[in-house]
């Protein structure tokens, strides 16, 4: 998959640094960075096998999604900016530290993290990232950001339920065709119609690995301190449907799916940012 990099920058004439904002004042980030994999890059959300930054749940500027970026911009008319992000299609937990280094270099005040689906979506189970390794990598990445931007804040999204993806697409012949031709997430999506005990057990084991990754994310975020928020498995528990998936691969979220992610995840940081401006139509 093609790599895609960038940063979301929000500027406000009255804002100097989030560290300078008192506890009584609403939080306003000056620089926002999205990190992670193809989901945060908006891959396949508006074109054939390309990232679509405008439809990223985290950093997109498209009204069809109403991303974290737009919800933050809605809070103050003085906030302006441009939107690209550091998420890279195909990235795994091994790439997160490098992305966080980029966030530090760009003096990020707010970073979103969604990483781990590609740690589980590999050609065979034995190649899935061990939970301890996954936790160590995420810990390293967040420590890097905390050291470089001690006043920054981090939002960590849970990994979506890959078994639900199989469940909503398994009876669709087109979805099964894309999964097979593209060798998409074989650990979960190989032989999607099989009811053999071995295949049922394989799917359960992959789901269990994602559950374990999400538990690791909760632990890492808790250790980071109050400047980190984990979504409490809200994204994992989201009951998305086939209508939320791209018709180019039946794996990545389309615009509706990206909007659903933005809605479910922004709730976790709403009290950081304050209530949205309702007359702009930005609602959860």
């Amino acid at each position: 998959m093609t790599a895609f990099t960038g940063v979301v920058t929000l500027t406000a004439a009255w804002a100097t640094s989030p560290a300078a904002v008192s506890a009584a004042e609403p939080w306003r980030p000056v620089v926002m960075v999205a990190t992670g994999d193809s989901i945060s890059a908006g891959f396949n959300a508006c074109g054939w096998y390309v990232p679509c930054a405008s439809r990223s749940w985290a950093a997109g500027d498209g009204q069809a999604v109403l991303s974290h970026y737009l919800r933050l911009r809605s809070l103050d008319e003085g906030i302006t900016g441009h939107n690209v992000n550091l998420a890279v299609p195909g990235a795994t937990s091994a790439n997160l530290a490098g992305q966080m280094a980029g966030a530090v270099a760009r003096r990020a005040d707010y970073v979103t993290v969604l990483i781990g689906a590609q740690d589980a979506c590999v050609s065979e189970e034995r190649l899935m990232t061990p939970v301890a390794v996954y936790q160590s990598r995420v810990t390293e990445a967040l420590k890097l950001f905390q050291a470089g931007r001690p006043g920054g804040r981090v939002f960590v999204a849970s990994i979506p339920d890959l078994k639900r993806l199989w469940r909503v697409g398994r009876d669709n012949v087109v979805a099964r065709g894309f999964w097979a031709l593209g060798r998409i997430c074989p650990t979960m999506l190989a032989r999607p119609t099989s009811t053999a005990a071995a295949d049922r057990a394989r799917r359960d084991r992959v789901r269990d690995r994602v559950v374990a990754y999400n538990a690791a994310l909760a632990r890492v975020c808790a250790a980071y301190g109050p400047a980190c928020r984990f979504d409490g498995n809200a994204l994992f528990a989201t009951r998305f449907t086939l209508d939320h998936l791209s018709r180019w691969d039946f794996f990545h979220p389309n615009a509706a799916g990206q909007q659903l992610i933005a809605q479910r995840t922004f709730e976790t940081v709403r009290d950081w940012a304050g209530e949205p401006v309702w007359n702009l139509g930005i609602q959860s």
Side-chain angles (χ1 to χ4, degrees):
M1 293 182 179
T2 305
F4 181 73
T5 60
V7 58
V8 173
T9 303
L10 298 87
T11 60
W14 50 265
T16 55
S17 164
V21 178
S22 74
E25 295 175 321
W27 173 67
R28 298 292 186 268
V30 178
V31 179
M32 173 186 168
V33 170
T35 67
D37 54 26
S38 51
I39 297 178
S40 295
F43 192 80
N44 269 0
C46 66
W48 176 262
Y49 278 76
V50 293
C52 185
S54 67
R55 293 185 175 180
S56 165
W57 67 273
D61 62 5
Q63 291 293 324
V65 172
L66 298 178
S67 65
H68 281 218
Y69 166 72
L70 285 183
R71 290 166 188 263
L72 291 169
R73 282 195 61 182
S74 79
L75 298 174
D76 193 287
E77 293 181 356
I79 297 177
T80 60
H82 63 277
N83 86 317
V84 284
N85 66 58
L86 291 176
V88 179
T92 71
S93 58
N95 305 113
L96 187 59
Q99 293 180 18
M100 281 297 186
V104 170
R106 290 161 175 81
R107 302 183 61 78
D109 305 307
Y110 178 50
V111 173
T112 61
V113 178
L114 174 51
I115 197 81
Q118 294 299 326
D119 288 86
C121 283
V122 287
S123 58
E124 49 188 300
E125 284 184 78
R126 66 180 181 83
L127 298 177
M128 292 192 297
T129 304
V131 177
V133 173
Y134 177 83
Q135 179 168 332
S136 176
R137 289 171 174 173
V138 177
T139 298
E140 176 191 1
L142 266 62
K143 282 184 175 179
L144 189 157
F145 180 70
Q146 190 172 42
R149 298 293 295 162
R153 300 188 188 189
V154 180
F155 167 72
V156 179
S158 54
I159 304 161
D161 187 350
L162 296 175
K163 190 174 182 183
R164 179 165 183 82
L165 175 68
W166 164 77
R167 188 175 295 117
V168 301
R170 62 181 172 178
D171 294 327
N172 185 291
V173 65
V174 180
R176 296 198 306 267
F178 272 103
W179 294 347
L181 288 173
R183 293 187 55 78
I184 296 173
C185 198
T187 44
M188 178 60 72
L189 302 178
R191 299 181 294 281
T193 61
S194 172
T195 59
D199 289 314
R200 294 200 307 269
R202 166 178 53 83
R203 294 176 198 123
D204 288 343
R205 288 192 298 269
V206 175
R207 187 180 191 273
D208 288 345
R209 183 63 58 94
V210 172
V211 168
Y213 288 163
N214 285 335
L217 291 174
R219 290 191 294 270
V220 173
C221 197
Y224 190 103
C228 183
R229 291 279 178 85
F230 176 62
D231 74 358
N233 288 311
L235 183 51
F236 177 81
T238 296
R239 298 182 65 79
F240 61 87
T241 70
L242 210 61
D243 290 336
H244 295 112
L245 301 180
S246 169
R247 290 304 188 263
W248 287 301
D249 62 8
F250 290 85
F251 179 76
H252 291 94
N254 58 17
Q258 291 282 348
Q259 183 184 45
L260 183 62
I261 296 173
Q263 289 172 344
R264 296 299 168 85
T265 58
F266 195 73
E267 289 300 318
T268 303
V269 296
R270 178 183 292 282
D271 66 325
W272 273 355
E275 288 298 316
V277 177
W278 302 112
N279 62 9
L280 292 185
I282 297 181
Q283 302 181 26
S284 63

